[in-house]
Amino acid sequence: EAAVTQSPRNKVTVTGGNVTLSCRQTNSHNYMYWYRQDTGHGLRLIHYSYGAGNLQIGDVPDGYKATRTTQEDFFLLLELASPSQTSLYFCASSDRDNQDTQYFGPGTRLLVL
Amino acid sequence: SQWGEENLQALSIQEGEDVTMNCSYKTYTTVVQWYRQKSGKGPALIILIRSNEREKRSGRLRATLDTSSQSSSLSITGTLATDTAVYFCATDATGYQNFYFGKGTSLTVIP
């Protein structure tokens, strides 16, 4: 069973604050993804990566940066957080040869006041 | 948008009943995935069906795919209270390494 962990699980910040969400996968998967989940919108892709140092833009990238430092670690950065970024954030990973299966982490709930 | 008109649907049924959920999509896809998300957890893949398949079964789950109408369905037979979850379908963006998720169907199975 693939393992994807996220930290923190909950985060509260203020408008304009700086937030980093962390994701680690321990299954040597090539692809990693950051999604946000909001009521009425389902899951929307923010950024993804297919290897260390690689970054691809997703469907809702505005206001977010991401960095893939190693094959295991993928970070999502909100440098000037806004209330519109209050959401539930999920990280996922998938394997090069089996991209069809994405393994999701438990999620990080972010509240921007 | 990859999706047809779709809102988050909510279904409530009694344990033991059968249920079918549908999703429709706008552009060609090579695979449709169905994910289950239980409360407080991340989504987990439960079944996928490829564009060259019309039907796929896994235990109590059955997925269908109609590429001509660009629609897929997920059926669960003999539902259990533990099937209570939100169910999403996802399609691939052909030529890319990511997937589009629908808004989901919230299923409540009453014991």
Side-chain angles (χ1 to χ4, degrees), chain A residues 36 46-47 57-65 82 84-85:
Chain A
R36 61 178 290 173
I46 304 170
H47 291 297
I57 294 172
D59 299 316
V60 289
D62 292 346
Y64 301 95
K65 292 183 179 180
S82 72
S84 65
Q85 294 176 307

Side-chain angles (χ1 to χ4, degrees), chain B residues 29-94:
Chain B
T29 186
T30 63
V31 64
V32 174
Q33 303 174 332
W34 284 91
Y35 285 81
R36 170 186 289 168
Q37 184 178 20
K38 297 197 173 184
S39 180
K41 305 287 187 182
L45 181 72
I46 53 174
I47 194 168
L48 69 82
I49 183 166
R50 302 190 186 280
S51 58
N52 62 351
E53 300 173 308
R54 295 183 61 83
E55 178 181 292
K56 189 80 166 284
R57 292 179 184 267
S58 177
R60 295 184 294 111
L61 304 177
R62 174 177 173 261
T64 66
L65 178 60
D66 184 341
T67 53
S68 62
S69 64
Q70 296 185 168
S71 64
S72 178
S73 71
L74 172 70
S75 298
I76 307 175
T77 57
T79 55
L80 305 169
T82 52
D83 292 327
T84 294
V86 178
Y87 292 80
F88 296 95
C89 62
T91 60
D92 68 350
T94 305

Side-chain angles (χ1 to χ4, degrees), chain A residues 45-98:
Chain A
L45 182 65
I46 304 170
H47 291 297
Y48 65 103
S49 165
Y50 53 76
N54 175 265
L55 181 65
Q56 303 294 317
I57 294 172
D59 299 316
V60 289
D62 292 346
Y64 301 95
K65 292 183 179 180
T67 180
R68 181 89 176 269
T69 54
T70 64
Q71 186 174 35
E72 294 78 19
D73 297 304
F74 196 29
F75 300 93
L76 186 68
L77 295 78
L78 292 72
E79 294 184 332
L80 288 171
S82 72
S84 65
Q85 294 176 307
T86 291
S87 188
L88 180 58
Y89 291 88
F90 285 101
C91 176
S93 71
S94 67
D95 183 68
R96 180 200 302 274
D97 293 328
N98 189 20

Side-chain angles (χ1 to χ4, degrees), chain A residues 31-48:
Chain A
Y31 295 93
M32 296 186 74
Y33 310 80
W34 277 108
Y35 293 91
R36 61 178 290 173
Q37 185 175 36
D38 306 287
T39 302
H41 289 282
L43 285 156
R44 292 182 291 175
L45 182 65
I46 304 170
H47 291 297
Y48 65 103

